[in-house]
Amino acid sequence: MRTDVRRTHNAVTTTTSTTTTTAAAAAVLAGITTVRNLGILAHVDAGKTTVTERILFLAGETHKRGEVHDGTTVTDCHPQERERGITIFAAAVSCLWDGHRINLIDTPGHVDFADEVERSLRVLDGAVAVFDAVAGVEPQSESVWRQADRHGVPRIAFVNKMDRAGADLDAAVASIRERLHPVPLAVQLPIGRESEFTGVVDLLTMRALTWDDGPGRDGLQEGPVPEELRAEAEHRRRRLDEAVAGLHPAALEEYYEHSALSTATLAAALRDLTHSGEAVVVLCGSAYRNRGVEPLLAAITAYLPSPLDVPAVRGSAVGAAGSAGAAGTEGVAGAEGVAGAEVERAADPAGPLTALVFKVNVTASGRLTYLRLYAGTLRKGDTVLDATTGRPERIARILRAQADSHTETDSAVAGDIVAVIGVKAARAGATLCAPGAPLVLEPPVTAEPVVTVAVEARRTVDTDRLAVALARLAEEDPSLVVRTDPETGQRVLSGLGELHLEVAVEKIRRDHNGLEVTVGRPQVAHRETVERGVTGHVHRHVKQDGGAGQFAQVVIDVAPLDGPVGTQEGGGFVFASTVTGGRVPKEYVQAVEAGCRDALAEGPLGGHPVTGLRVTLTDGATHSKDSSDLAFRTAGRTALRDAMRACRMLLLEPVVEVTVTVPQEAVGGVLGDLAARRGRVQGSDPHGATAAVTAVVPLAELFGYATALRSRTQGRGTFTTRPAGYAPAPAPAR
């Protein structure tokens, strides 16, 4: 990536026009270095949205501090978000701070909306992980951290709510180290504890930063470190220098020579360690009281990467890259002309346009498509190619998103996150590119639905309206799946949890006036697996109806797959072949595997998908004329279906890890209730007047649990969940 940038900068020109073009390109590249694309990640109620609101307020984008409890926040703009007091939909905002453009996505913290987080992380260059200073790392904090790990997104940490009773920065840092396993590097020392928290000591500059409680933006005061904290601050600075020197070679060299690190060396090392993921910079504050947000913004610009600092995006070429009439396709590498070849695209505004759709918002007034530009320049009026479907799309307008309000712009360049109007059919995960340089980027992974409800229009005349509403829902949220039950003819809506479906159904009611919907009781998505397999199962497929026939013979072994059920890699299915002597040619072995995968769609117990099994093709036979891919695929499908009927099969149900936070006096009742719900208690962690009870509970037993918990704890109990795979379901009553 940097080679391409230098080549652009170092191009030798002899004409005035070329020199002007080169200077303009250099200016654009310099602008990209000041862009930060980041997300705010956290557990429910850790303060993500409040942090976002304070960033917008300090950057001058808003003139009043929005509050979640008042329903006045910018990012929680949907009526359901304001009523429920939680973030449901990822919202993109943009602001300017200290010469940097910050494109920020406020992501949901509830596990039911983890797919929104996944799609956001796919297009981000960095993230701020927000932690509660009292609770430290909570279950969903850990889940979103692992999601960021999978995408290789550099992070800094912000320990929020330092003004709460029981707040402890050191305990929060210890929980980051123990549960998330990076090296946490605290660069601040709190001034005051709990309600007396007034500011921080910046350990890099050794200056005290304090804030008053005024409503304006000028509450920050800088001064010397208080005398009573000087010894502690110096001790922590020495520990910070030692920790960084142990991780960074250049810092180690300076530390050996001077027994300390300069501020410049320490800052550069922290930036490198953040980019590599070897360590995470930890800051603290109280977003609600507007304390600690300015240093957080400074850390974002100093430590998190720009689009030029991250690796070039990779994709698969679709076909020959044309040049006639295709803007920005000059100089496309020859490899891009080979379909399927892996291609890299650097963040170069002069390169071929490459953008990924990560969010779609469909309303009655139009369709808003959110893009991350990885390469090239997008202009209003451009015609682009949806490389996923081969459909051309025209860009009517380009907007800089500010949650539910937008500012129009004429163009966007590599590194930008923008919304566009005019795209008719591109779905989340689609690649938009220059027509002459088609490329498909890897789409975000969509989570598999685990909860299903039947949805029907209360009035027959509204059936078609409901179909349109459900299709719009699925278009906006790929984790919602709509299908028609082949037995009952009912429309079935599947999602990631009870709250996910509840929000979806309520959205239908609100967005389509007068549409009355009846919703069935939620049902979980069961799976089937092999408990005891079979060996040497023989199946011969013969079909002769005139002309060329079909012949295939296969012998398979079926066995359980090692590992916890429902959590294995590769979708819980492994296929192998031990056939020797060419008795089944290689191309037919692949057809047998395809047939076996077809058979996994429906198990023998109840027609549920099958997981957790290993199939081995041990022998077979062919016919010189009648054998074909189709014959062996059919044989593989039928052989596995018959073999599973001979196996001992096991019905699986989804289970979740539940963390219930309740007053100490209510722990006994909560434990008894979890046991009655077939829960396996993992432990209880007392913390002052409350306790956090952790248990693994079948998802089906948690429907309606929120109401039951409120009743049992007089409204003082809360709980969170995260998926924990599948477990054997009880045998149905006879």
Side-chain angles (χ1 to χ4, degrees):
M1 177 179 66
R2 294 194 178 278
T3 301
D4 293 338
V5 173
R6 286 195 295 268
R7 187 179 299 123
T8 301
H9 279 295
N10 299 333
V12 179
T13 61
T14 56
T15 66
T16 303
S17 61
T18 306
T19 302
T20 304
T21 302
T22 304
V28 173
L29 285 170
I32 295 176
T33 64
T34 64
V35 173
R36 298 292 184 271
N37 295 317
L38 66 132
I40 306 292
L41 312 175
H43 184 85
V44 176
D45 202 33
K48 299 180 308 302
T49 301
T50 303
V51 169
T52 305
E53 290 298 318
R54 297 306 181 263
I55 288 174
L56 294 176
F57 176 70
L58 290 172
E61 291 294 332
T62 58
H63 302 291
K64 181 181 178 183
R65 295 185 291 186
E67 306 294 354
V68 173
H69 56 270
D70 291 336
T72 56
T73 58
V74 172
T75 53
D76 285 354
C77 53
H78 193 276
Q80 288 200 71
E81 293 178 309
R82 292 179 172 174
E83 291 172 7
R84 298 173 187 269
I86 62 172
T87 301
I88 296 173
F89 309 104
V93 294
S94 183
C95 65
L96 294 173
W97 174 265
D98 192 27
H100 292 74
R101 173 164 292 283
I102 298 176
N103 297 319
L104 190 152
I105 298 180
D106 181 20
T107 64
H110 197 287
V111 66
D112 282 19
F113 309 105
D115 200 62
E116 290 271 342
V117 181
E118 184 74 19
R119 284 183 277 123
S120 298
L121 283 170
R122 176 64 177 81
V123 300
L124 294 175
D125 302 324
V128 175
V130 180
F131 301 96
D132 188 309
V134 178
V137 177
E138 298 174 272
Q140 190 60 14
S141 307
E142 192 170 351
S143 296
V144 296
W145 189 276
R146 301 301 175 213
Q147 286 179 282
D149 278 343
R150 289 197 300 273
H151 290 279
V153 175
R155 280 141 281 171
I156 59 177
F158 182 70
V159 178
N160 192 25
K161 303 188 178 182
M162 288 295 297
D163 58 331
R164 283 186 60 194
D168 189 333
L169 175 62
D170 292 336
V173 169
S175 70
I176 292 173
R177 181 184 295 107
E178 293 165 7
R179 299 191 62 176
L180 305 180
H181 309 301
V183 178
L185 301 173
V187 297
Q188 293 176 338
L189 168 66
I191 299 176
R193 291 181 58 86
E194 301 177 348
S195 62
E196 301 300 318
F197 172 75
T198 57
V200 298
V201 175
D202 183 342
L203 298 180
L204 272 75
T205 62
M206 295 301 287
R207 299 285 288 174
L209 307 175
T210 58
W211 289 266
D212 58 33
D213 285 322
R217 301 184 180 91
D218 301 323
L220 172 62
Q221 301 294 327
E222 183 177 346
V225 178
E227 195 60 37
E228 65 273 15
L229 291 177
R230 180 171 296 279
E232 176 68 13
E234 291 174 349
H235 172 66
R236 290 185 180 238
R237 171 59 189 263
R238 285 194 299 271
R239 287 170 51 192
L240 178 62
D241 286 352
E242 292 170 1
V244 171
L247 296 169
H248 194 276
L252 179 62
E253 184 176 341
E254 182 174 315
Y255 187 79
Y256 271 142
E257 186 174 347
H258 302 288
S259 299
L261 298 179
S262 67
T263 300
T265 299
L266 181 56
L270 289 173
R271 176 179 170 84
D272 291 343
L273 293 172
T274 300
H275 287 198
S276 68
E278 294 179 73
V280 56
V281 173
V282 182
L283 302 97
C284 65
S286 170
Y288 178 69
R289 297 177 68 178
N290 209 31
R291 295 177 179 178
V293 182
E294 291 97 334
L296 174 63
L297 280 163
I300 287 170
T301 59
Y303 305 133
L304 291 180
S306 76
L308 292 177
D309 295 323
V310 298
V313 69
R314 294 172 177 263
S316 299
V318 177
S323 58
T329 61
E330 297 84 352
V332 176
E336 295 198 20
V338 180
E342 186 176 75
V343 177
E344 283 192 356
R345 295 264 172 92
D348 182 1
L353 175 69
T354 309
L356 184 71
V357 177
F358 68 94
K359 183 178 176 66
V360 175
N361 188 13
V362 183
T363 66
S365 58
R367 190 176 193 271
L368 205 58
T369 304
Y370 291 83
L371 310 174
R372 161 66 192 268
L373 272 72
Y374 286 99
T377 299
L378 182 68
R379 297 180 179 83
K380 184 168 63 173
D382 280 355
T383 296
V384 300
L385 177 71
D386 181 349
T388 311
T389 62
R391 174 189 174 111
E393 299 277 8
R394 185 178 180 277
I395 306 300
R397 296 167 63 194
I398 303 174
L399 309 172
R400 292 205 179 275
Q402 204 71 356
D404 59 343
S405 61
H406 308 87
T407 304
E408 190 163 351
T409 183
D410 291 332
S411 64
V413 300
D416 275 341
I417 292 179
V418 295
V420 297
I421 294 175
V423 176
K424 303 293 184 184
R427 307 289 290 267
T431 303
L432 300 184
C433 58
L439 184 74
V440 175
L441 303 178
E442 181 182 356
V445 176
T446 301
E448 187 177 356
V450 294
V451 181
T452 298
V453 293
V455 182
E456 295 179 331
R458 185 164 295 177
R459 298 178 301 181
T460 306
V461 294
D462 289 334
T463 300
D464 291 341
R465 290 182 64 199
L466 177 61
V468 172
L470 290 171
R472 182 180 293 177
L473 270 181
E475 188 175 359
E476 290 185 335
D477 186 350
S479 62
L480 287 170
V481 177
V482 181
R483 63 181 178 85
T484 301
D485 189 294
E487 295 183 2
T488 64
Q490 290 179 307
R491 283 192 177 88
V492 175
L493 180 64
S494 302
L496 303 183
E498 187 179 11
L499 179 60
H500 190 204
L501 295 180
E502 184 182 319
V503 167
V505 172
E506 183 62 25
K507 195 169 189 297
I508 291 176
R509 292 178 175 139
R510 291 173 183 255
D511 294 351
H512 302 268
N513 294 331
L515 180 56
E516 299 181 12
V517 180
T518 301
V519 181
R521 188 181 186 278
Q523 301 290 326
V524 298
H526 287 87
R527 296 289 183 269
E528 299 178 26
T529 192
V530 173
E531 186 177 22
R532 187 179 65 195
V534 296
T535 59
H537 182 82
V538 181
H539 178 76
R540 174 177 290 195
H541 172 68
V542 180
K543 184 177 181 182
Q544 195 73 44
D545 52 3
Q550 294 185 23
F551 177 87
Q553 179 174 306
V554 296
V555 182
I556 61 172
D557 295 345
V558 180
L561 191 60
D562 296 335
V565 291
T567 61
Q568 301 94 341
E569 297 289 333
F573 173 71
V574 172
F575 180 87
S577 172
T578 59
V579 176
T580 58
R583 293 179 60 82
V584 180
K586 185 176 180 180
E587 61 270 22
Y588 293 161
V589 171
Q590 295 174 344
V592 174
E593 180 180 357
C596 290
R597 291 189 180 276
D598 293 342
L600 298 178
E602 294 183 0
L605 295 181
H608 309 291
V610 181
T611 186
L613 75 162
R614 181 189 303 275
V615 176
T616 305
L617 178 65
T618 60
D619 201 357
T622 62
H623 186 276
S624 59
K625 293 184 178 180
D626 292 347
S627 291
S628 63
D629 282 352
L630 176 60
F632 272 91
R633 182 165 186 160
T634 303
R637 179 172 60 248
T638 309
L640 183 53
R641 284 177 178 171
D642 293 345
M644 286 191 295
R645 294 189 184 97
C647 294
R648 178 185 292 174
M649 300 294 292
L650 191 65
L651 185 66
L652 304 175
E653 62 179 347
V655 294
V656 294
E657 182 183 279
V658 184
T659 301
V660 188
T661 303
V662 294
Q664 287 281 7
E665 62 269 19
V667 169
V670 168
L671 290 174
D673 186 44
L674 290 173
R677 296 173 184 270
R678 298 189 284 123
R680 301 192 313 277
V681 176
Q682 308 286 300
S684 177
D685 181 21
H687 194 90
T690 64
V693 178
T694 304
V696 176
V697 186
L699 179 60
E701 299 290 346
L702 287 181
F703 296 143
Y705 183 59
T707 302
L709 181 63
R710 282 196 297 268
S711 175
R712 189 173 292 276
T713 62
Q714 288 78 48
R716 297 162 64 195
T718 61
F719 77 100
T720 59
T721 64
R722 63 173 178 173
Y726 285 80
R734 295 183 179 275

